[in-house]
Amino acid sequence: MEVLTGVMYHSVGASSAALCYTPQKKVKGWSWQTYWLAQALVCWLLMPVLVAWLTIPQLSAVLKEAPTDALWKTFVLGMAYGIGGTAFGMAIRYVGFSLTYAIAVGISCVLGTLIPPIIGGEYNNFFSSKGAEWIIAGIVLGAAGIAICGVAGRGKEKDLKEAPASKTGFSLAKGLPLCLLAGILSAFYGFSLDRGRPIAVIAARYGAGNFQGNAVYIFSNAGAFLTTLLYCIYLHIKEKTFKEYTTVPMRGQSSSLFLNFIMAALTGILWYGQFFFYGLGHVRMGSYSFSSWAIHMIMLVLFSSVAGLLLKEWRNTSRDTRLKLSIALVVLTAAVIVITYGNRLGGRQF
């Protein structure tokens, strides 16, 4: 039952992540870097500190006792994730929500799930453990579903180019390299959380319970914020857009500026929501806790594809393209069910 509860928390986090970029559509008069830095301030700096302060007893004592090595590794790996997250946001402009999630998250799913336990030597007994074959099968299914999403995305590109009077701005040539970069570097967040486990253990000892992971986010997310800050400042200087934080060149600029900040804050809160609920799900996944990343990422692709349908990103696509997307959604759903079953079998042997 604990595993099922963990999967439910992962589903909430994945839903939050799938929807976090939708407020961007309401932002007017801001350049990309203005919006991105505003939401990053909330997601990667303010929310982690605030939530950790609210949920970790004696936070200052926890941070004082945390190993310096773990703090730095978590922070530096978070910096790499920040680059990936920025590339992710840029890719959405060129290939949309659905395809960006399919490619970038697909790569992140495989790398972020398999590499940390390999490095930690945790696979030594895994393949002989009960339920291991279901975990592997689920990851393979998830990769297949993500690949089918990619095929549907290629069909989407062709359909949208052929649609009359189409002004989508869709460009696979620009978006694909960004998706690949985002996928590889976003996997570093899983590595960051893995290196931060000693911090979480200390937080648990002070009574943090299932909220122990919130102590790690302070450092992983701060690293992500630093790289994002540096890149956005570079763009602000290059394009002379610092003034956008105080003025919007349009009618009713005061109300538009306020709305922009609200939408950016909402994006940051939703994005941080995936981390918060990921932590609550991760601590409940039992002996195969490393599969949390796969479950979270597969659900993220699943829910982002549904979000893309609801946002009518696939409106001008062919029936064949939508059929491929539908097949992908079924396969992704099956992958989550299979991995969950494998986790339940693994939990029964202890």
Side-chain angles (χ1 to χ4, degrees), residues 42-86:
V42 175
C43 172
W44 292 339
L45 197 62
L46 299 181
M47 289 299 294
V49 173
L50 175 62
V51 174
W53 179 70
L54 292 173
T55 59
I56 307 295
Q58 302 184 58
L59 178 61
S60 59
V62 171
L63 299 182
K64 185 176 181 179
E65 291 186 26
T68 302
D69 181 63
L71 297 178
W72 275 108
K73 286 181 178 179
T74 302
F75 181 81
V76 172
L77 289 169
M79 290 176 63
Y81 168 73
I83 298 174
T86 300

Side-chain angles (χ1 to χ4, degrees), residues 8-18 270 273-275 277-278 296:
M8 289 179 62
Y9 277 120
H10 280 310
S11 69
V12 175
S15 299
S16 181
L270 286 171
Q274 73 168 312
F275 307 134
F277 288 104
Y278 176 88
H296 184 78

Side-chain angles (χ1 to χ4, degrees), residues 164-249:
S166 176
K167 297 181 180 180
T168 64
F170 189 93
S171 173
L172 193 65
K174 295 179 180 179
L176 182 58
L178 290 169
C179 287
L180 296 176
L181 179 64
I184 294 171
L185 293 183
S186 292
F188 278 70
Y189 196 78
F191 308 160
S192 178
L193 298 183
D194 184 68
R195 296 301 95 182
R197 281 189 292 181
I199 307 171
V201 169
I202 294 173
R205 194 167 65 235
Y206 274 89
N210 292 331
F211 295 109
Q212 59 189 260
N214 293 338
V216 182
Y217 296 148
I218 296 176
F219 300 95
S220 57
N221 288 32
F225 179 73
L226 177 61
T227 49
T228 301
L229 175 66
L230 294 176
Y231 182 64
C232 288
I233 287 177
Y234 162 75
L235 290 179
H236 277 312
I237 294 174
K238 179 182 178 182
E239 300 178 15
K240 298 180 173 61
T241 51
F242 276 113
K243 61 183 179 182
E244 292 179 354
Y245 291 109
T246 56
T247 59
V248 176

